[in-house]
Structures are given as C-alpha cells and as structure tokens.
Amino acid sequence: MTPIVILDAGHGGSDPGGGNNAQFTEKDMNLQISLYQYNRFLALNIPVAITRTTDVTLTSEARTALVRNSGARYCISNHINSGGGRGSEVLYSIYGAPTFPQLIQDALAAEGMPNRRIFTRTLPDNPRLDYYFMHRETGSVETVIVEYGFADNALDANKLQQDWRDLAEGVVRAFCTYAKLPYQPPTTPTSTPKPTAAPTLAPTTSPGNGGGNVPDWKQEAVNWLYDQGFLTDEQWRQQPDQPLPLWAHAVILKRLFEKLKM
C-alpha cells in the first residue's frame, strides 16, 4: 500500500548528528522517536513508510530518494538540535506553508516543550532554492524538519530523555489534524521502538505469488537485507515476490559497496 506519510529518522550509522549529550545521541533519539511514530501510524491504520529502522548510514542522496520515490504526500524528518538554544523548531520549505509546522509546535508545547520558532531558509547564493536538502531534494513530498529540542540545554535534554514518547505522540496527533485523518490516543504505552509491520519468518501471504504462502527461506533472505541495512523501506519486507525498482537496486549495490570498503 502506498504510504501517506514517510518518517525520516535523521542521521544514523557513521553520522551521529550534532544533538548529542551524556544522556543520548541524536541518531538514536531520532530513530527511537521515528519508530514510535511508525507504530502509532500503523495502529491508526494510516499507511506509513520510514527511511531507516536500524542504525545505518544513509547518504543525503539515498535518504531523499527514499522519500521522493515513496509515493507519500508528507514527510516528517525527526532531529534533535544543538547550539545553545531552547525549545522546539520546525523547518518547512520556502514553497510550503506554516500551517503544519504551527500545529506541530502547538502539540509539542502542549506536551511541555516550549516553542522557539518555525522558519524557512534559502540557499545563500540562490533565494529560489531551499537551504536544506530534505526540502530541496524530496520532490513534491511536503517535508517538515522537526527539531524537538536542544541536546545542549539541560531543560530540553531532560525533557527529551524523560518524555520523548509524549513529544513523538504530539507530532502524530498534529499530523492527523493537518491531514484530516481520524486520531485516537494510544490505549497502552508503545514502549518497544520496533516496527510492528515487519513479519516474522513464519509463512505469510503475498499477492505477488498468487496469494500463496511465502516460503521461510524467501522471507529470511529479505529480512537479512533489512538487518544489514541494505533495505530500509518496510513496504518491501511485506512484498518478497515483488520486483524492486531500478533505483532500489542501485541503492542496495551502493550500500554493499560501502560495506566492502570498510
């Protein structure tokens, strides 16, 4: 099923991000938040994809290609800030509108994280282009970058460490409001940050082979691609008999080559 929204867990692998402190690293917090939101969207029956589910390195080209080619209408790119400020920031494209960012900031404020600003930014040498590649290179996908707080501010850091689930849930709630989709709060805490959509190695039904069961060895091979970080879009895990597009083959080969060089 084509996703409505794709989640981007910023940084990862050899790129830890800049929002780090003694309590957490940015790449890990981004992934934790994104996986929580992934599961919540699934629980709300909202088709969703995600750029990474493990601690893998994604180049800017690979990351934006995953978003651009996902078929999603919206992208939420999760990050943690640094640099001596306080509070959340939401960045949006110069060709977008502040409606969704404002809903996000209102939701984060309701969960106890103060607002700092919402803003856009252009390339210094070309005011017609977005500064951030997640806005500039994601095509028609409406992408917002959410900076949940400052890792180098003790108040923000403690809030993130203790209440990251509440902040992540606030963004889920804001998205449902913006996209006019039904929202229900979680009935039980979503404490295990792991996608629930990923099937086990038990046989599953796949439309790609006429509705029959997918043999264990096929699913095991597909799961291995995810475990190694060669595949990150969860929709392919559920379609082991479906052909990958050319760009996906290129991404897998590129990641394999990068691993061989290590």
Side-chain angles (χ1 to χ4, degrees), residues 121-188:
R121 187 177 177 186
T122 61
L123 281 176
D125 58 349
N126 190 341
R128 291 179 295 179
L129 292 177
D130 278 293
Y131 179 86
Y132 298 99
F133 68 81
M134 285 302 295
H135 294 141
R136 193 176 63 247
E137 304 294 339
T138 49
S140 62
V141 184
E142 183 178 345
T143 301
V144 292
I145 301 170
V146 183
E147 301 275 4
Y148 286 81
F150 282 76
D152 52 1
N153 180 292
L155 294 173
D156 284 10
N158 289 335
K159 179 66 177 175
L160 280 161
Q161 179 68 14
Q162 296 167 14
D163 300 322
W164 64 267
R165 289 182 185 84
D166 295 336
L167 299 173
E169 182 67 28
V171 174
V172 171
R173 187 169 64 249
F175 174 79
C176 290
T177 299
Y178 181 62
K180 297 179 173 57
L181 295 169
Y183 170 80
Q184 292 289 334
T187 54
T188 58

Side-chain angles (χ1 to χ4, degrees), residues 1-227:
M1 183 180 294
T2 302
I4 294 173
V5 59
I6 182 168
L7 301 165
D8 173 43
H11 308 285
S14 62
D15 175 14
N20 309 308
N21 55 36
Q23 296 171 284
F24 56 79
T25 61
E26 181 182 358
K27 66 175 184 176
D28 292 338
M29 182 62 78
N30 294 341
L31 183 58
Q32 202 166 235
I33 288 171
S34 299
L35 289 173
Y36 174 92
Q37 292 170 340
Y38 181 88
N39 281 326
R40 285 290 294 127
F41 282 129
L42 289 177
L44 292 166
N45 295 316
I46 295 172
V48 60
I50 191 168
T51 56
R52 66 181 180 97
T53 59
T54 58
D55 185 23
V56 296
T57 304
L58 283 177
T59 65
S60 59
E61 292 83 4
R63 190 182 300 273
T64 53
L66 287 169
V67 174
R68 190 172 58 249
N69 297 310
S70 66
R73 182 174 177 184
Y74 309 99
C75 173
I76 301 169
S77 185
N78 291 318
H79 289 264
I80 308 300
N81 223 332
S82 64
R86 172 86 211 277
S88 68
E89 295 185 339
V90 186
L91 297 69
Y92 64 102
S93 170
I94 59 175
Y95 297 105
T99 309
F100 186 26
Q102 189 61 62
L103 286 170
I104 291 173
Q105 281 217 323
D106 291 346
L108 294 177
E111 299 297 342
M113 181 62 76
N115 297 339
R116 187 166 189 257
R117 58 175 176 165
I118 58 176
F119 67 102
T120 63
R121 187 177 177 186
T122 61
L123 281 176
D125 58 349
N126 190 341
R128 291 179 295 179
L129 292 177
D130 278 293
Y131 179 86
Y132 298 99
F133 68 81
M134 285 302 295
H135 294 141
R136 193 176 63 247
E137 304 294 339
T138 49
S140 62
V141 184
E142 183 178 345
T143 301
V144 292
I145 301 170
V146 183
E147 301 275 4
Y148 286 81
F150 282 76
D152 52 1
N153 180 292
L155 294 173
D156 284 10
N158 289 335
K159 179 66 177 175
L160 280 161
Q161 179 68 14
Q162 296 167 14
D163 300 322
W164 64 267
R165 289 182 185 84
D166 295 336
L167 299 173
E169 182 67 28
V171 174
V172 171
R173 187 169 64 249
F175 174 79
C176 290
T177 299
Y178 181 62
K180 297 179 173 57
L181 295 169
Y183 170 80
Q184 292 289 334
T187 54
T188 58
T190 308
S191 57
T192 304
K194 201 168 186 180
T196 55
T200 64
L201 298 185
T204 56
T205 299
S206 170
N209 62 355
N213 288 332
V214 176
D216 286 354
W217 63 267
K218 285 188 179 183
Q219 196 63 60
E220 182 178 3
V222 172
N223 288 341
W224 181 85
L225 287 173
Y226 283 90
D227 292 340

